[in-house]
Amino acid sequence: MNRHICKKTLISVFLIISSIALSFADGARRSVVFFGSVSSSEDTATIKLTEDLYYSQMLSLSSISLKNRRDVIWNPDIANEYATTEATLFHAEIQEKNSGWQCTLTALDSSNGRAVSKTFFYEGYYKILMDAKNSILTLFEQLDSDSGVTTGLEAAEAAGISEALSQITLDQLAGNWQGDSYITKVVIQKTGRGFVIFKNGATMNITLSISGSNVTAMQASGTNASFFPELPRDVALKIAKTASPVSWSFEVTDWNTLTGTKQTLAMNEAGTEPEQQTVPAVWTRL
């Protein structure tokens, strides 16, 4: 059995679960027209599977009335055809990038011309499978944000996402992340270990733990002055041997964002000496 068949099997299982979870709600339904995806990738099988996945997840939302026009590849001129309607026009752009997949979802509200796009990067197809529904809901939430429209069903779906995020695992967090301005890359492994690569060339080993939606990353390497790029080099060299380990405390904002604080040494307001400080920190998935 090749990998594309395996992907189809996973989609089938996922759709069964989605159909079981499907609920119906009173009130107006958003009319969405789903167009064919834009891509320059030669991996047409994965493009087709990804498009099918987005379509099936949108179909499972009872707040949406969906029209299938996937036989028509999206182009901007299509908007003119729907200029006098109330339809929301949806398409995805799916491109291979950095050995992974970059998926840009776009929704255009024909009634007012408002359009929003959200871009997500995934290391592999199975990451798309895990995040497809969340990314669609995030897109439509942004589209509605100006008017403040939130239906009861959307609120329930958002609550479902919050519940899923509160049970996130290291397996789901595993991958490459972007840290603060001093960090080139953060690598999180499924084992609960990882490492931080600083722009000054240093590499710090870290351990990670999860409690609900709270993620803690702790320095596991021995002391190194290069772990304190916020400090002047001469100061970092003096205090590194006795410094407490650097640590990060995050809350999972969404599948691709960790937001919280970093415990480290930084110069005091007077700039005269280093002190333990809590500074804002955000890691975003690459």
Side-chain angles (χ1 to χ4, degrees), residues 6-260:
C6 290
K7 289 176 183 177
K8 289 179 180 179
T9 302
L10 273 174
I11 288 178
S12 297
V13 173
F14 208 78
L15 292 181
I16 292 172
I17 295 173
S18 296
S19 64
I20 293 174
L22 182 61
S23 60
F24 296 92
D26 293 330
R29 304 171 72 195
R30 182 196 299 274
S31 176
V32 176
V33 185
F34 194 119
F35 290 92
S37 300
V38 177
S39 181
S40 59
S41 172
E42 295 181 357
D43 189 352
T44 55
T46 296
I47 298 302
K48 178 65 165 57
L49 286 169
T50 302
E51 183 181 280
D52 289 348
L53 176 62
Y54 283 130
Y55 183 82
S56 63
Q57 286 303 300
M58 202 175 295
L59 192 63
S60 74
L61 300 174
S62 59
S63 56
I64 287 178
S65 174
L66 193 60
K67 181 176 181 179
N68 184 7
R69 290 199 64 185
R70 287 181 291 165
D71 57 323
V72 178
I73 303 300
W74 170 261
N75 71 80
D77 292 338
I78 291 174
N80 296 328
E81 180 183 344
Y82 290 85
T84 59
T85 72
E86 300 290 321
T88 298
L89 312 183
F90 172 90
H91 77 278
E93 181 175 349
I94 307 167
Q95 304 288 5
E96 290 186 82
K97 184 177 181 181
N98 298 330
S99 300
W101 293 95
Q102 180 173 290
C103 300
T104 300
L105 309 184
T106 299
L108 168 65
D109 187 338
S110 297
S111 66
N112 55 27
R114 174 171 164 76
V116 297
S117 294
K118 297 285 289 184
T119 298
F120 306 86
F121 181 80
Y122 305 98
E123 289 186 311
Y125 174 80
Y126 300 101
K127 297 288 187 179
I128 304 176
L129 181 68
M130 294 294 295
D131 193 46
K133 189 171 185 178
N134 175 61
S135 59
I136 290 169
L137 291 173
T138 300
L139 179 74
F140 287 133
E141 180 181 352
Q142 183 174 337
L143 186 65
D144 286 338
S145 61
D146 279 356
S147 62
V149 176
T150 303
T151 67
L153 179 62
E154 289 167 341
E157 288 165 345
I161 293 172
S162 297
E163 182 178 355
L165 290 175
S166 72
Q167 301 174 22
I168 197 167
T169 66
L170 285 169
D171 186 73
Q172 292 168 315
L173 286 180
N176 297 328
W177 297 71
Q178 173 67 56
D180 58 39
S181 58
Y182 298 103
I183 293 174
T184 300
K185 182 189 292 186
V186 179
V187 178
I188 298 177
Q189 301 170 332
K190 297 177 182 179
T191 58
R193 296 184 177 276
F195 51 92
V196 176
I197 303 173
F198 291 90
K199 290 182 178 178
N200 60 21
T203 299
M204 174 199 293
N205 293 327
I206 57 175
T207 57
L208 297 105
S209 60
I210 299 179
S211 176
S213 60
N214 298 314
V215 179
T216 301
M218 179 73 69
Q219 173 187 332
S221 298
T223 57
N224 188 325
S226 296
F227 296 166
F228 302 98
E230 297 90 345
L231 298 176
R233 183 63 178 176
D234 59 332
V235 175
L237 288 168
K238 290 179 182 178
I239 59 86
K241 291 184 179 180
T242 58
S244 300
V246 178
S247 65
W248 291 263
S249 298
F250 293 115
E251 183 171 355
V252 182
T253 306
D254 56 47
W255 299 110
N256 300 303
T257 311
L258 303 177
T259 305

